[in-house]
Amino acid sequence: MSESLSQHASNSAFGTAKSGTATSRTSGVARPHVAVVGAGVMGLSIAWRLAAAGCTVDIFEQGRSGLGASHAAAGMLAACAEAEPGEEGLLALNRESQRLWPSFAADLEAAAGMAVDLRTDGTIVLALNADDGAKLRHLISFQQGLGLPVEWLNGAEVRRREPHLATKLAGAVWCPEDHQVDNRKVSAALRIAALNAGARLHEDCPVERVETVDGRARGVIAKGERFGADVVVLAAGAWSRGIAIAPATPLPVRPVKGQMLALAMDPAAPILSHVVWAPGTYLVPRRDGRLIVGATVEERGFNTDLTAGGQLALLTHAWRALPTIEELTILEQWVGFRPGSRDDAPILGLSAEVEGLVFATGHHRNGILLLPVTARAISRLILDGEADPVIAPFAAERFLPRAAAE
Ligand code: GLY
């Protein structure tokens, strides 16, 4: 084992690395050479943090960076609005990441020299009729029982905040800490930040497999070429299962299709200023006047069809909540793929089967929300071997047959 890799092994979680790859030094500390599979927001943010700390980083992307779920998302940071019974285990992770967003956005804007439009207007979850109201009353008591900052608004209070909403409202849940960010700007900024920090981005370069030798990751095979590395990070979102990693068990990650669309508001007189959830849809107003309307949830694999039924459902639900949308122009319609795991929670941290392999995938509906905590936890794990307790429940190990039998 070389001296530098021995030193790296002593201060990281990756054991006794031995490879022909370059290991760099920062202030006397050996830094591993890292291959990141996937240039969405997860892969780019981890690459940025690692490259800034002195690692040699290669990022591999099957197409162009940031054009998967990172591009398709709505950018909601909805730890409270989306907290539902059965997902209590995710709450600590979601709330921690929500707390990190303002400083993460400020660091990213400084590193990239561009704004990412973190808006702190809060979120309204609407009830249009008595039935919706009863469901929301049930939900708010669950959320308040978990200590979340949510409060009930009557119809008049809702319309005072958002005068263009439907005249007949049964009330709403107000989530003052659920904000939004422009995910497309975040992707663009992360690309700049990662490249500025020295990461190398290989686009149109699909990874076929992670190379493993004696149970340890040694790099990746992409476009038939071998790229050596000490550590491999799998951050390929909905495509994560397609990367072969013998002898590791394939990750239980599937694409969960979502159709969306964007309408054009007048940026000088927007008809909405908060994120609004209404039955069957959510509406996210951007500073530039775009109004994002989302999203269907479809188990249809990587089917990319925009369907009349899907678009009609979104527009109908949106129109019931905000009737004046019928005056707006449609700017864009698209499909994205959420990376859904078997329990819909992310897969984070070290592989139990392959040394030097790290997962940062399966974020499902919460990818943008979970970005800062994922970038922090995964980069610290690689740099210092520090295992953040907040990601401990989300190890891939929970899906191994042994864990399931226990
Ligand atoms: N978090 C919003 C969505 O998945 O559609």
Side-chain angles (χ1 to χ4, degrees):
M1 183 165 50
S2 71
E3 186 219 324
S4 61
L5 287 171
S6 160
Q7 187 171 345
H8 165 58
S10 70
N11 60 18
S12 85
F14 299 103
T16 53
K18 182 169 176 290
S19 76
T21 57
T23 299
S24 57
R25 283 176 169 274
T26 302
S27 313
V29 179
R31 294 298 194 204
H33 181 172
V34 182
V36 177
V37 184
V41 289
M42 295 303 163
L44 289 171
S45 62
I46 293 163
W48 167 39
R49 294 304 203 196
L50 293 176
C55 296
T56 302
V57 182
D58 285 290
I59 317 166
F60 299 88
E61 170 55 48
Q62 60 179 346
R64 309 290 294 176
S65 73
L67 289 187
S70 307
H71 186 79
M76 292 179 294
L77 310 176
C80 302
E82 291 200 62
E84 289 180 356
E87 293 193 345
E88 293 86 338
L90 252 185
L91 194 61
L93 190 70
N94 287 347
R95 288 286 282 161
E96 175 62 2
S97 206
Q98 192 175 49
R99 189 186 70 78
L100 294 175
W101 250 106
S103 57
F104 181 85
D107 279 2
L108 179 57
E109 289 183 338
M114 65 174 280
V116 298
D117 289 2
L118 177 67
R119 283 184 62 165
T120 55
D121 308 285
T123 291
I124 293 169
V125 185
L126 266 192
L128 293 175
N129 57 34
D131 202 21
D132 302 336
K135 280 188 214 149
L136 271 194
R137 291 274 189 193
H138 181 75
L139 190 62
I140 195 173
S141 70
F142 165 77
Q143 292 169 335
Q144 286 173 334
L146 295 172
L148 294 175
V150 289
E151 59 188 83
W152 185 258
L153 299 178
N154 64 34
E157 288 165 332
V158 179
R159 281 180 54 79
R160 201 161 45 245
R161 284 172 164 81
E162 288 292 0
H164 292 277
L165 287 175
T167 45
K168 199 170 143 285
L169 295 173
V173 176
W174 168 233
C175 308
E177 294 183 16
D178 281 8
H179 302 311
Q180 61 140 316
V181 68
D182 186 327
N183 44 288
R184 294 184 183 182
K185 290 188 177 176
V186 171
S187 294
L190 282 170
R191 178 191 164 105
I192 295 169
L195 294 177
N196 284 351
R200 299 181 295 222
L201 177 58
H202 306 262
E203 293 183 310
D204 300 314
C205 193
V207 169
E208 291 136 36
R209 65 184 169 89
V210 174
E211 188 194 41
T212 57
V213 178
D214 298 334
R216 186 183 167 89
R218 298 290 189 195
V220 298
I221 309 296
K223 271 192 158 170
E225 201 182 329
R226 176 184 182 271
F227 295 84
D230 302 310
V231 176
V232 176
V233 178
L234 182 59
W239 291 267
S240 297
R241 193 186 171 91
I243 315 287
I245 323 175
T249 310
L251 284 183
V253 177
R254 69 193 194 287
V256 181
K257 177 182 172 181
Q259 298 188 47
M260 300 179 66
L261 66 136
L263 303 170
M265 302 186 294
D266 176 354
I271 58 170
L272 205 69
S273 54
H274 302 84
V275 174
V276 170
W277 285 73
T281 191
Y282 51 75
L283 301 152
V284 185
R286 297 281 199 237
R287 288 218 172 101
D288 62 2
R290 281 165 70 88
L291 179 62
I292 313 290
V293 182
T296 63
V297 180
E298 303 172 52
E299 295 287 355
R300 296 205 46 197
F302 284 111
N303 173 284
T304 55
D305 294 344
L306 281 164
T307 65
Q311 296 288 305
L312 180 68
L314 292 176
L315 282 167
T316 305
H317 291 304
W319 174 77
R320 283 196 186 119
L322 189 63
T324 46
I325 64 158
E326 69 187 19
E327 312 290 345
L328 306 182
T329 307
I330 295 179
L331 289 174
E332 188 186 346
Q333 294 161 295
W334 67 95
V335 168
F337 299 104
R338 307 170 182 90
S341 75
R342 197 181 301 148
D343 60 8
D344 290 340
I347 302 173
L348 302 173
L350 297 172
S351 162
E353 298 175 303
V354 173
E355 215 182 317
L357 176 64
V358 180
F359 298 122
T361 187
H363 293 83
H364 197 222
R365 299 185 66 107
N366 295 314
I368 304 300
L369 170 63
L370 289 174
L371 176 57
V373 80
T374 301
R376 184 187 71 179
I378 300 301
S379 57
R380 284 186 183 168
L381 185 61
I382 293 169
L383 292 170
D384 309 319
E386 191 187 306
D388 189 333
V390 81
I391 67 164
F394 304 105
E397 220 173 330
R398 71 190 189 276
F399 299 119
L400 295 180
R402 194 180 60 245
E406 279 164 9

